């Protein structure tokens, strides 16, 4: 059996669960309940507020769809300017925003400057879990099954 990475161990100890994915399931469910998101489409800005991040994204001419940036000691979600110029409310934009929200779980927003508290994993490992969490945020099983 493959040993958990430091990142996976941190996620499990922070959010509970027997695996990193189960931990993501648990925290996403908790965030959705706290944000009172019971129907589709999920209001991702409400989840952002619960996490502690400013829900309004910034738009930049950047080579990737989304990222986290620091401005005035605060972590913010940055989205590609292409989203704003083309179709601001596309599903790809929503998924990118949700993906960045999952990245936010690795940060402490109670202090300035905001700081990362999760260990740095292999980049693919974190990206994979953020994609998983974004899908769970946008289409939660509880809402889909009614």
């Amino acid at each position: 059996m493959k040993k958990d990475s430091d990142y996976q161990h941190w996620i499990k100890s922070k959010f509970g669960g027997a695996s990193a994915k189960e931990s993501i399931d648990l925290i996403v469910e908790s965030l959705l309940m706290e944000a009172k998101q019971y129907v589709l489409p999920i209001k991702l800005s409400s989840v952002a507020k619960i996490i502690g991040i400013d829900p309004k994204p910034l738009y930049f001419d950047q080579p990737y769809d989304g990222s986290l940036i620091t401005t005035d000691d605060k972590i913010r979600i940055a989205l590609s300017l292409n989203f704003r110029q083309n179709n601001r409310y596309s599903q790809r934009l929503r998924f990118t925003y949700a993906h960045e929200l999952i990245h936010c779980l690795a940060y402490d927003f109670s202090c300035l400057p905001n700081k990362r508290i999760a260990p740095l994993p292999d980049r693919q490992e974190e990206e994979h879990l953020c994609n998983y969490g974004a899908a769970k945020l946008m289409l939660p099983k509880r809402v889909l099954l009614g």
Side-chain angles (χ1 to χ4, degrees):
M1 179 179 238
K2 186 177 172 185
K3 183 181 176 210
D4 285 346
S5 69
D6 290 343
Y7 180 68
Q8 291 171 346
H9 179 74
W10 179 85
I11 289 172
K12 292 186 328 184
S13 66
K14 177 84 172 163
F15 305 119
S19 68
K21 283 186 174 180
E22 185 178 321
S23 299
I24 296 293
D25 289 339
L26 292 170
I27 187 58
V28 164
E29 182 66 25
S30 175
L31 289 166
L32 290 168
M33 295 295 286
E34 192 172 343
K36 297 177 175 51
Q37 295 301 300
Y38 308 115
V39 297
L40 296 177
I42 299 300
K43 188 174 180 186
L44 297 173
S45 61
S46 294
V47 176
K49 290 175 187 174
I50 300 299
I51 290 172
I53 191 166
D54 186 329
K56 187 174 181 181
L58 303 173
Y59 291 89
F60 292 100
D61 185 13
Q62 57 190 23
Y64 27 82
D65 288 346
S67 63
L68 295 180
I69 63 165
T70 302
T71 181
D72 298 326
D73 290 335
K74 295 179 183 179
I75 300 292
R76 297 287 304 271
I77 293 175
L79 298 174
S80 171
L81 193 56
N82 291 332
F83 285 129
R84 180 168 254 181
Q85 293 170 341
N86 297 326
N87 184 359
R88 185 174 180 172
Y89 299 105
S90 72
Q91 288 306 308
R92 184 170 173 173
L93 174 141
R94 286 180 49 76
F95 186 85
T96 301
Y97 186 93
H99 174 98
E100 297 306 327
L101 284 177
I102 301 300
H103 277 296
C104 289
L105 298 175
Y107 289 83
D108 179 358
F109 294 101
S110 68
C111 61
L112 288 178
N114 298 153
K115 64 180 180 177
R116 185 178 176 98
I117 54 176
L120 286 172
D122 170 277
R123 181 163 173 78
Q124 287 186 339
E125 177 183 24
E126 186 167 1
E127 294 304 313
H128 176 74
L129 285 172
C130 288
N131 284 340
Y132 178 82
K136 295 294 183 173
L137 264 179
M138 290 183 64
L139 295 170
K141 184 184 272 188
R142 164 184 57 77
V143 172
L144 292 174
L145 296 177

